[in-house]
Amino acid sequence: MKITNQLDLKTYIRLNFILTFRRPLLAVFMVIGFLNLVYVVLLISGVVGKTQRLPLFQLLFGLYIVIFLPLVVYYKAKKNFQNNLRVQEPIVYEFTDETIKLTGESFNIEFTWEKTHKVIELKNWMLIYQNNLVANAIEKKNFGDQLQAFRDLVNSKSYLKSKLMNS
């Protein structure tokens, strides 16, 4: 089965946000940061009491988590996309029973399913991890009517860690 995938900047940034903020601990920090900002606003407005000084720690922590952290994710993803020309290339993925081949304009890579770390399916993405940190991301829409065949291929690899959706 062959799938062609090409990422644009907007899609790549969106994927980085999804991968960053789907971690439970980071989601908890985002809620805590937001609650800190709400607390500061309520304290300053006098709704939850009176204070003579600004709760600087809560304000800075809330701003860091709610504003600075997403900005860092955005700019790092943008910089990585612009500096890595291979990410921008159209990539043809060829899946066989034994191997995964990636062919771009400037590279050819082939690796076996046995050396694949894991495959994770998200709402709009298939992520094929080569190791803990490096994943090849394919938009599910690019699979077309081959999506279930890909799931079946992954499920046929009993040694491969995977988290796939049922449909």
Side-chain angles (χ1 to χ4, degrees):
M1 125 182 26
K2 285 187 178 185
I3 308 297
T4 301
N5 190 66
Q6 182 171 13
L7 299 175
D8 60 18
L9 178 60
K10 182 179 176 183
T11 305
Y12 186 77
I13 289 172
R14 188 172 43 239
L15 175 62
N16 275 270
F17 271 98
I18 290 168
L19 293 176
T20 300
F21 292 105
R22 71 186 286 264
R23 297 179 185 143
L25 186 59
L26 205 48
V28 169
F29 274 119
M30 290 296 290
V31 169
I32 292 170
F34 180 74
L35 291 175
N36 270 286
L37 289 178
V38 169
Y39 173 74
V40 169
V41 169
L42 293 175
L43 194 62
I44 290 172
S45 66
V47 173
V48 293
K50 294 183 181 177
T51 183
Q52 295 297 326
R53 55 187 197 110
L54 184 66
L56 197 57
F57 174 78
Q58 289 85 356
L59 177 64
L60 293 177
F61 180 76
L63 289 174
Y64 175 79
I65 295 296
V66 173
I67 295 173
F68 182 71
L69 195 56
L71 284 174
V72 168
V73 171
Y74 174 84
Y75 284 110
K76 282 189 171 250
K78 184 177 177 182
K79 182 179 176 184
N80 187 42
F81 184 83
Q82 291 171 340
N83 291 336
N84 188 348
L85 297 178
R86 289 184 176 160
V87 171
Q88 301 174 36
E89 294 179 20
I91 300 171
V92 176
Y93 293 83
E94 185 175 347
F95 303 103
T96 67
D97 280 335
E98 294 82 31
T99 63
I100 302 170
K101 290 182 183 179
L102 286 70
T103 306
E105 295 169 355
S106 65
F107 66 92
N108 288 311
I109 300 170
E110 183 174 355
F111 52 94
T112 63
W113 284 104
E114 287 86 9
K115 299 293 183 183
T116 303
H117 183 65
K118 63 183 170 182
V119 177
I120 295 179
E121 181 176 2
L122 302 177
K123 180 180 176 186
N124 296 313
W125 296 92
M126 280 291 182
L127 303 172
I128 304 169
Y129 281 85
Q130 295 178 25
N131 59 43
N132 283 0
L133 301 173
V134 176
N136 297 93
I138 305 172
E139 288 185 274
K140 283 172 47 176
K141 68 181 181 181
N142 293 328
F143 282 91
D145 60 357
Q146 300 181 83
L147 183 58
Q148 189 57 48
F150 178 76
R151 288 182 184 129
D152 294 342
L153 178 62
V154 170
N155 285 329
S156 73
K157 312 296 179 201
S158 60
Y159 50 82
L160 181 61
K161 291 188 266 182
S162 64
K163 292 181 185 175
L164 301 178
M165 296 178 180
N166 295 330
S167 47

PDB file of all heavy atoms in Angstrom, residues 76-100:
ATOM      1  N   LYS A  76       9.070  27.154  18.171  1.00  0.00           N
ATOM      2  CA  LYS A  76       9.958  26.005  17.955  1.00  0.00           C
ATOM      3  C   LYS A  76       9.479  25.167  16.773  1.00  0.00           C
ATOM      4  O   LYS A  76      10.277  24.717  15.958  1.00  0.00           O
ATOM      5  CB  LYS A  76      10.081  25.152  19.210  1.00  0.00           C
ATOM      6  CG  LYS A  76      11.010  25.742  20.236  1.00  0.00           C
ATOM      7  CD  LYS A  76      11.269  24.735  21.354  1.00  0.00           C
ATOM      8  CE  LYS A  76      12.362  25.250  22.231  1.00  0.00           C
ATOM      9  NZ  LYS A  76      13.581  24.498  22.095  1.00  0.00           N
ATOM     10  N   ALA A  77       8.177  24.957  16.670  1.00  0.00           N
ATOM     11  CA  ALA A  77       7.641  24.186  15.547  1.00  0.00           C
ATOM     12  C   ALA A  77       7.882  24.927  14.233  1.00  0.00           C
ATOM     13  O   ALA A  77       8.297  24.319  13.231  1.00  0.00           O
ATOM     14  CB  ALA A  77       6.149  23.933  15.745  1.00  0.00           C
ATOM     15  N   LYS A  78       7.650  26.218  14.237  1.00  0.00           N
ATOM     16  CA  LYS A  78       7.867  27.016  13.024  1.00  0.00           C
ATOM     17  C   LYS A  78       9.330  26.978  12.605  1.00  0.00           C
ATOM     18  O   LYS A  78       9.644  26.763  11.425  1.00  0.00           O
ATOM     19  CB  LYS A  78       7.417  28.458  13.268  1.00  0.00           C
ATOM     20  CG  LYS A  78       7.513  29.347  12.056  1.00  0.00           C
ATOM     21  CD  LYS A  78       6.978  30.732  12.353  1.00  0.00           C
ATOM     22  CE  LYS A  78       7.141  31.632  11.137  1.00  0.00           C
ATOM     23  NZ  LYS A  78       6.677  32.996  11.412  1.00  0.00           N
ATOM     24  N   LYS A  79      10.230  27.141  13.560  1.00  0.00           N
ATOM     25  CA  LYS A  79      11.662  27.125  13.262  1.00  0.00           C
ATOM     26  C   LYS A  79      12.090  25.741  12.759  1.00  0.00           C
ATOM     27  O   LYS A  79      12.845  25.643  11.789  1.00  0.00           O
ATOM     28  CB  LYS A  79      12.452  27.502  14.521  1.00  0.00           C
ATOM     29  CG  LYS A  79      13.944  27.564  14.307  1.00  0.00           C
ATOM     30  CD  LYS A  79      14.670  27.972  15.575  1.00  0.00           C
ATOM     31  CE  LYS A  79      16.167  27.934  15.358  1.00  0.00           C
ATOM     32  NZ  LYS A  79      16.902  28.237  16.576  1.00  0.00           N
ATOM     33  N   ASN A  80      11.620  24.695  13.401  1.00  0.00           N
ATOM     34  CA  ASN A  80      11.968  23.340  12.986  1.00  0.00           C
ATOM     35  C   ASN A  80      11.465  23.061  11.571  1.00  0.00           C
ATOM     36  O   ASN A  80      12.177  22.470  10.752  1.00  0.00           O
ATOM     37  CB  ASN A  80      11.395  22.316  13.964  1.00  0.00           C
ATOM     38  CG  ASN A  80      11.865  20.920  13.659  1.00  0.00           C
ATOM     39  OD1 ASN A  80      13.028  20.694  13.353  1.00  0.00           O
ATOM     40  ND2 ASN A  80      10.959  19.970  13.737  1.00  0.00           N
ATOM     41  N   PHE A  81      10.247  23.490  11.257  1.00  0.00           N
ATOM     42  CA  PHE A  81       9.692  23.285   9.922  1.00  0.00           C
ATOM     43  C   PHE A  81      10.519  24.023   8.868  1.00  0.00           C
ATOM     44  O   PHE A  81      10.843  23.473   7.822  1.00  0.00           O
ATOM     45  CB  PHE A  81       8.240  23.752   9.880  1.00  0.00           C
ATOM     46  CG  PHE A  81       7.568  23.485   8.559  1.00  0.00           C
ATOM     47  CD1 PHE A  81       7.021  22.242   8.289  1.00  0.00           C
ATOM     48  CD2 PHE A  81       7.474  24.479   7.592  1.00  0.00           C
ATOM     49  CE1 PHE A  81       6.395  21.984   7.081  1.00  0.00           C
ATOM     50  CE2 PHE A  81       6.853  24.230   6.379  1.00  0.00           C
ATOM     51  CZ  PHE A  81       6.318  22.982   6.121  1.00  0.00           C
ATOM     52  N   GLN A  82      10.871  25.262   9.153  1.00  0.00           N
ATOM     53  CA  GLN A  82      11.612  26.066   8.186  1.00  0.00           C
ATOM     54  C   GLN A  82      13.052  25.585   8.015  1.00  0.00           C
ATOM     55  O   GLN A  82      13.618  25.703   6.931  1.00  0.00           O
ATOM     56  CB  GLN A  82      11.587  27.537   8.604  1.00  0.00           C
ATOM     57  CG  GLN A  82      10.203  28.142   8.460  1.00  0.00           C
ATOM     58  CD  GLN A  82      10.088  29.519   9.070  1.00  0.00           C
ATOM     59  OE1 GLN A  82      10.882  29.915   9.915  1.00  0.00           O
ATOM     60  NE2 GLN A  82       9.063  30.255   8.653  1.00  0.00           N
ATOM     61  N   ASN A  83      13.641  25.029   9.061  1.00  0.00           N
ATOM     62  CA  ASN A  83      15.032  24.576   8.984  1.00  0.00           C
ATOM     63  C   ASN A  83      15.192  23.145   8.488  1.00  0.00           C
ATOM     64  O   ASN A  83      16.289  22.746   8.124  1.00  0.00           O
ATOM     65  CB  ASN A  83      15.711  24.712  10.350  1.00  0.00           C
ATOM     66  CG  ASN A  83      15.927  26.160  10.742  1.00  0.00           C
ATOM     67  OD1 ASN A  83      15.992  27.034   9.883  1.00  0.00           O
ATOM     68  ND2 ASN A  83      16.011  26.415  12.021  1.00  0.00           N
ATOM     69  N   ASN A  84      14.124  22.363   8.490  1.00  0.00           N
ATOM     70  CA  ASN A  84      14.195  20.970   8.078  1.00  0.00           C
ATOM     71  C   ASN A  84      13.443  20.804   6.767  1.00  0.00           C
ATOM     72  O   ASN A  84      12.229  20.610   6.749  1.00  0.00           O
ATOM     73  CB  ASN A  84      13.615  20.058   9.167  1.00  0.00           C
ATOM     74  CG  ASN A  84      13.846  18.599   8.881  1.00  0.00           C
ATOM     75  OD1 ASN A  84      14.246  18.208   7.787  1.00  0.00           O
ATOM     76  ND2 ASN A  84      13.573  17.775   9.876  1.00  0.00           N
ATOM     77  N   LEU A  85      14.159  20.868   5.661  1.00  0.00           N
ATOM     78  CA  LEU A  85      13.528  20.804   4.348  1.00  0.00           C
ATOM     79  C   LEU A  85      12.868  19.456   4.086  1.00  0.00           C
ATOM     80  O   LEU A  85      11.905  19.364   3.333  1.00  0.00           O
ATOM     81  CB  LEU A  85      14.557  21.118   3.260  1.00  0.00           C
ATOM     82  CG  LEU A  85      15.157  22.531   3.325  1.00  0.00           C
ATOM     83  CD1 LEU A  85      16.204  22.715   2.243  1.00  0.00           C
ATOM     84  CD2 LEU A  85      14.072  23.587   3.216  1.00  0.00           C
ATOM     85  N   ARG A  86      13.358  18.397   4.714  1.00  0.00           N
ATOM     86  CA  ARG A  86      12.772  17.075   4.507  1.00  0.00           C
ATOM     87  C   ARG A  86      11.351  16.997   5.052  1.00  0.00           C
ATOM     88  O   ARG A  86      10.525  16.267   4.522  1.00  0.00           O
ATOM     89  CB  ARG A  86      13.642  15.988   5.139  1.00  0.00           C
ATOM     90  CG  ARG A  86      14.927  15.802   4.379  1.00  0.00           C
ATOM     91  CD  ARG A  86      15.741  14.675   4.934  1.00  0.00           C
ATOM     92  NE  ARG A  86      16.924  14.495   4.108  1.00  0.00           N
ATOM     93  CZ  ARG A  86      18.002  13.883   4.486  1.00  0.00           C
ATOM     94  NH1 ARG A  86      18.070  13.367   5.703  1.00  0.00           N
ATOM     95  NH2 ARG A  86      19.023  13.764   3.679  1.00  0.00           N
ATOM     96  N   VAL A  87      11.076  17.734   6.108  1.00  0.00           N
ATOM     97  CA  VAL A  87       9.719  17.742   6.672  1.00  0.00           C
ATOM     98  C   VAL A  87       8.741  18.354   5.674  1.00  0.00           C
ATOM     99  O   VAL A  87       7.571  17.979   5.628  1.00  0.00           O
ATOM    100  CB  VAL A  87       9.698  18.524   8.008  1.00  0.00           C
ATOM    101  CG1 VAL A  87       8.290  18.732   8.509  1.00  0.00           C
ATOM    102  CG2 VAL A  87      10.540  17.821   9.044  1.00  0.00           C
ATOM    103  N   GLN A  88       9.223  19.267   4.847  1.00  0.00           N
ATOM    104  CA  GLN A  88       8.369  19.983   3.913  1.00  0.00           C
ATOM    105  C   GLN A  88       8.108  19.213   2.617  1.00  0.00           C
ATOM    106  O   GLN A  88       7.193  19.546   1.875  1.00  0.00           O
ATOM    107  CB  GLN A  88       9.013  21.327   3.565  1.00  0.00           C
ATOM    108  CG  GLN A  88       9.240  22.208   4.766  1.00  0.00           C
ATOM    109  CD  GLN A  88      10.012  23.465   4.413  1.00  0.00           C
ATOM    110  OE1 GLN A  88       9.838  24.031   3.347  1.00  0.00           O
ATOM    111  NE2 GLN A  88      10.879  23.900   5.316  1.00  0.00           N
ATOM    112  N   GLU A  89       8.921  18.204   2.338  1.00  0.00           N
ATOM    113  CA  GLU A  89       8.803  17.464   1.082  1.00  0.00           C
ATOM    114  C   GLU A  89       7.574  16.558   1.074  1.00  0.00           C
ATOM    115  O   GLU A  89       7.168  16.060   2.112  1.00  0.00           O
ATOM    116  CB  GLU A  89      10.031  16.561   0.880  1.00  0.00           C
ATOM    117  CG  GLU A  89      11.317  17.288   0.685  1.00  0.00           C
ATOM    118  CD  GLU A  89      12.504  16.352   0.508  1.00  0.00           C
ATOM    119  OE1 GLU A  89      12.294  15.163   0.170  1.00  0.00           O
ATOM    120  OE2 GLU A  89      13.636  16.802   0.699  1.00  0.00           O
ATOM    121  N   PRO A  90       7.021  16.342  -0.125  1.00  0.00           N
ATOM    122  CA  PRO A  90       6.014  15.279  -0.206  1.00  0.00           C
ATOM    123  C   PRO A  90       6.722  13.941   0.022  1.00  0.00           C
ATOM    124  O   PRO A  90       7.796  13.703  -0.529  1.00  0.00           O
ATOM    125  CB  PRO A  90       5.465  15.386  -1.626  1.00  0.00           C
ATOM    126  CG  PRO A  90       6.337  16.341  -2.357  1.00  0.00           C
ATOM    127  CD  PRO A  90       7.214  17.030  -1.385  1.00  0.00           C
ATOM    128  N   ILE A  91       6.142  13.104   0.857  1.00  0.00           N
ATOM    129  CA  ILE A  91       6.755  11.821   1.189  1.00  0.00           C
ATOM    130  C   ILE A  91       5.791  10.709   0.791  1.00  0.00           C
ATOM    131  O   ILE A  91       4.610  10.749   1.128  1.00  0.00           O
ATOM    132  CB  ILE A  91       7.076  11.735   2.694  1.00  0.00           C
ATOM    133  CG1 ILE A  91       8.041  12.846   3.095  1.00  0.00           C
ATOM    134  CG2 ILE A  91       7.655  10.362   3.052  1.00  0.00           C
ATOM    135  CD1 ILE A  91       8.259  12.975   4.584  1.00  0.00           C
ATOM    136  N   VAL A  92       6.322   9.731   0.076  1.00  0.00           N
ATOM    137  CA  VAL A  92       5.540   8.556  -0.285  1.00  0.00           C
ATOM    138  C   VAL A  92       5.906   7.455   0.697  1.00  0.00           C
ATOM    139  O   VAL A  92       7.078   7.089   0.839  1.00  0.00           O
ATOM    140  CB  VAL A  92       5.822   8.107  -1.733  1.00  0.00           C
ATOM    141  CG1 VAL A  92       5.059   6.823  -2.055  1.00  0.00           C
ATOM    142  CG2 VAL A  92       5.470   9.211  -2.719  1.00  0.00           C
ATOM    143  N   TYR A  93       4.904   6.954   1.395  1.00  0.00           N
ATOM    144  CA  TYR A  93       5.073   5.851   2.338  1.00  0.00           C
ATOM    145  C   TYR A  93       4.602   4.588   1.645  1.00  0.00           C
ATOM    146  O   TYR A  93       3.485   4.553   1.113  1.00  0.00           O
ATOM    147  CB  TYR A  93       4.229   6.072   3.602  1.00  0.00           C
ATOM    148  CG  TYR A  93       4.671   7.233   4.439  1.00  0.00           C
ATOM    149  CD1 TYR A  93       4.274   8.532   4.137  1.00  0.00           C
ATOM    150  CD2 TYR A  93       5.483   7.027   5.545  1.00  0.00           C
ATOM    151  CE1 TYR A  93       4.679   9.596   4.918  1.00  0.00           C
ATOM    152  CE2 TYR A  93       5.883   8.091   6.341  1.00  0.00           C
ATOM    153  CZ  TYR A  93       5.481   9.371   6.020  1.00  0.00           C
ATOM    154  OH  TYR A  93       5.885  10.424   6.788  1.00  0.00           O
ATOM    155  N   GLU A  94       5.441   3.568   1.662  1.00  0.00           N
ATOM    156  CA  GLU A  94       5.054   2.279   1.106  1.00  0.00           C
ATOM    157  C   GLU A  94       5.123   1.247   2.218  1.00  0.00           C
ATOM    158  O   GLU A  94       6.179   1.027   2.811  1.00  0.00           O
ATOM    159  CB  GLU A  94       5.959   1.880  -0.048  1.00  0.00           C
ATOM    160  CG  GLU A  94       5.512   0.617  -0.734  1.00  0.00           C
ATOM    161  CD  GLU A  94       6.341   0.277  -1.956  1.00  0.00           C
ATOM    162  OE1 GLU A  94       7.109   1.147  -2.432  1.00  0.00           O
ATOM    163  OE2 GLU A  94       6.224  -0.858  -2.439  1.00  0.00           O
ATOM    164  N   PHE A  95       3.987   0.655   2.515  1.00  0.00           N
ATOM    165  CA  PHE A  95       3.881  -0.322   3.593  1.00  0.00           C
ATOM    166  C   PHE A  95       3.737  -1.716   2.996  1.00  0.00           C
ATOM    167  O   PHE A  95       2.838  -1.960   2.185  1.00  0.00           O
ATOM    168  CB  PHE A  95       2.673  -0.022   4.486  1.00  0.00           C
ATOM    169  CG  PHE A  95       2.698   1.357   5.080  1.00  0.00           C
ATOM    170  CD1 PHE A  95       1.900   2.368   4.559  1.00  0.00           C
ATOM    171  CD2 PHE A  95       3.518   1.643   6.158  1.00  0.00           C
ATOM    172  CE1 PHE A  95       1.921   3.639   5.104  1.00  0.00           C
ATOM    173  CE2 PHE A  95       3.544   2.916   6.709  1.00  0.00           C
ATOM    174  CZ  PHE A  95       2.749   3.910   6.183  1.00  0.00           C
ATOM    175  N   THR A  96       4.638  -2.608   3.392  1.00  0.00           N
ATOM    176  CA  THR A  96       4.527  -4.012   3.027  1.00  0.00           C
ATOM    177  C   THR A  96       4.447  -4.817   4.317  1.00  0.00           C
ATOM    178  O   THR A  96       4.544  -4.261   5.412  1.00  0.00           O
ATOM    179  CB  THR A  96       5.736  -4.483   2.193  1.00  0.00           C
ATOM    180  OG1 THR A  96       6.906  -4.466   3.020  1.00  0.00           O
ATOM    181  CG2 THR A  96       5.951  -3.606   0.967  1.00  0.00           C
ATOM    182  N   ASP A  97       4.328  -6.122   4.205  1.00  0.00           N
ATOM    183  CA  ASP A  97       4.285  -6.967   5.399  1.00  0.00           C
ATOM    184  C   ASP A  97       5.575  -6.904   6.199  1.00  0.00           C
ATOM    185  O   ASP A  97       5.567  -7.067   7.410  1.00  0.00           O
ATOM    186  CB  ASP A  97       3.997  -8.422   5.018  1.00  0.00           C
ATOM    187  CG  ASP A  97       2.512  -8.648   4.762  1.00  0.00           C
ATOM    188  OD1 ASP A  97       1.702  -7.880   5.310  1.00  0.00           O
ATOM    189  OD2 ASP A  97       2.191  -9.582   4.025  1.00  0.00           O
ATOM    190  N   GLU A  98       6.702  -6.646   5.527  1.00  0.00           N
ATOM    191  CA  GLU A  98       7.997  -6.657   6.208  1.00  0.00           C
ATOM    192  C   GLU A  98       8.566  -5.267   6.488  1.00  0.00           C
ATOM    193  O   GLU A  98       9.269  -5.069   7.474  1.00  0.00           O
ATOM    194  CB  GLU A  98       9.039  -7.439   5.386  1.00  0.00           C
ATOM    195  CG  GLU A  98       8.771  -8.914   5.253  1.00  0.00           C
ATOM    196  CD  GLU A  98       7.758  -9.221   4.149  1.00  0.00           C
ATOM    197  OE1 GLU A  98       7.715  -8.465   3.156  1.00  0.00           O
ATOM    198  OE2 GLU A  98       6.997 -10.181   4.300  1.00  0.00           O
ATOM    199  N   THR A  99       8.315  -4.306   5.600  1.00  0.00           N
ATOM    200  CA  THR A  99       9.026  -3.030   5.693  1.00  0.00           C
ATOM    201  C   THR A  99       8.108  -1.823   5.552  1.00  0.00           C
ATOM    202  O   THR A  99       6.966  -1.922   5.105  1.00  0.00           O
ATOM    203  CB  THR A  99      10.104  -2.923   4.592  1.00  0.00           C
ATOM    204  OG1 THR A  99       9.458  -2.943   3.318  1.00  0.00           O
ATOM    205  CG2 THR A  99      11.124  -4.028   4.698  1.00  0.00           C
ATOM    206  N   ILE A 100       8.697  -0.694   5.923  1.00  0.00           N
ATOM    207  CA  ILE A 100       8.115   0.624   5.691  1.00  0.00           C
ATOM    208  C   ILE A 100       9.157   1.400   4.892  1.00  0.00           C
ATOM    209  O   ILE A 100      10.313   1.517   5.327  1.00  0.00           O
ATOM    210  CB  ILE A 100       7.836   1.361   7.009  1.00  0.00           C
ATOM    211  CG1 ILE A 100       6.907   0.547   7.901  1.00  0.00           C
ATOM    212  CG2 ILE A 100       7.263   2.745   6.736  1.00  0.00           C
ATOM    213  CD1 ILE A 100       6.791   1.095   9.310  1.00  0.00           C
TER     214      ILE A 100
END
